[in-house]
Amino acid sequence: FGSRHQAGARKTCVERRSQEARAMSEFTIRTRKFKSNPLLGRKQFVLDIIHPNMANVSKKDLAEKLRSMYKVHDVQCIQLFGFKTAFGGGRSTGFGLIYENVDKMKKFEPKYRLARAGFEQKKGAGRRGKKDTKNRCKKARGKEKTKAKSSGGKK
């Protein structure tokens, strides 16, 4: 009984993998409200994705499909954001931008989206580190206070 049960479990795992592989290609993209924006050097549009039997489609997969649809030379020039999945699943809607080149994208995209895409680096200490330093300074007096400030996030 045990060996048969394990074989059945393996089969379902293999079936699941093949379903996932098929699901990668099982989504369709439609663009609407397509607008060419020459002042910002980009094309902008609303994306409608139909993805039955899938929870969601990754932005990486969407960017690859858009790259082939619109003959974009660099995937990094494609920005996708603001996706909402319709109630019940199977359909998602989001917004997309295709920039002419990376320089235009760096010029016009907000910093947080550039950071998401991996262009900008986070700067400075984090919120928690700043709070820890502040609270350490409260406890110290005199020369120890300057020492606590200079140590930053470390104790």
Side-chain angles (χ1 to χ4, degrees), residues 8-155:
R10 271 191 230 119
K11 188 178 177 185
T12 56
C13 186
V14 171
E15 284 175 359
R16 199 176 310 124
R17 282 193 197 128
S18 65
Q19 282 176 346
E20 286 174 6
R22 267 187 268 125
M24 292 298 283
S25 62
E26 284 185 12
F27 65 91
T28 56
I29 297 178
R30 287 206 183 95
T31 56
R32 48 188 181 92
K33 297 185 179 177
F34 195 91
K35 210 178 276 184
S36 187
N37 192 335
L39 289 173
L40 299 179
R42 70 185 186 194
K43 297 173 189 126
Q44 51 197 52
F45 47 87
V46 174
L47 268 176
D48 289 327
I49 302 114
I50 300 164
H51 49 91
N53 307 323
M54 283 177 82
N56 263 326
V57 187
S58 73
K59 289 179 187 173
K60 196 175 179 182
D61 293 340
L62 291 171
E64 281 297 326
K65 203 154 189 175
L66 282 169
R67 178 186 184 179
S68 61
M69 280 170 65
Y70 291 103
K71 297 171 182 68
V72 181
H73 59 280
D74 191 6
V75 181
Q76 289 185 322
C77 293
I78 300 172
Q79 284 285 335
L80 303 171
F81 56 93
F83 282 90
K84 301 265 190 290
T85 307
F87 180 72
R91 276 192 342 259
S92 297
T93 306
F95 202 76
L97 306 169
I98 299 175
Y99 282 91
E100 290 170 1
N101 53 39
V102 177
D103 296 331
K104 294 257 174 121
M105 187 172 83
K106 284 182 178 177
K107 187 176 179 184
F108 296 117
E109 274 294 287
K111 296 279 186 265
Y112 78 94
R113 282 210 297 255
L114 288 174
R116 240 183 235 174
F119 287 105
E120 293 284 318
Q121 297 298 319
K122 285 187 177 179
K123 46 194 165 206
R127 180 183 164 104
R128 182 80 252 161
K130 287 177 192 170
K131 285 183 174 189
D132 290 342
T133 306
K134 175 189 64 119
N135 291 330
R136 220 174 302 114
C137 287
K138 279 186 196 173
K139 294 172 191 166
R141 284 186 58 149
K143 289 181 181 176
E144 290 102 38
K145 189 171 268 199
T146 54
K147 193 188 278 184
K149 278 185 184 175
S150 65
S151 70
K154 300 171 192 161
K155 274 193 174 179

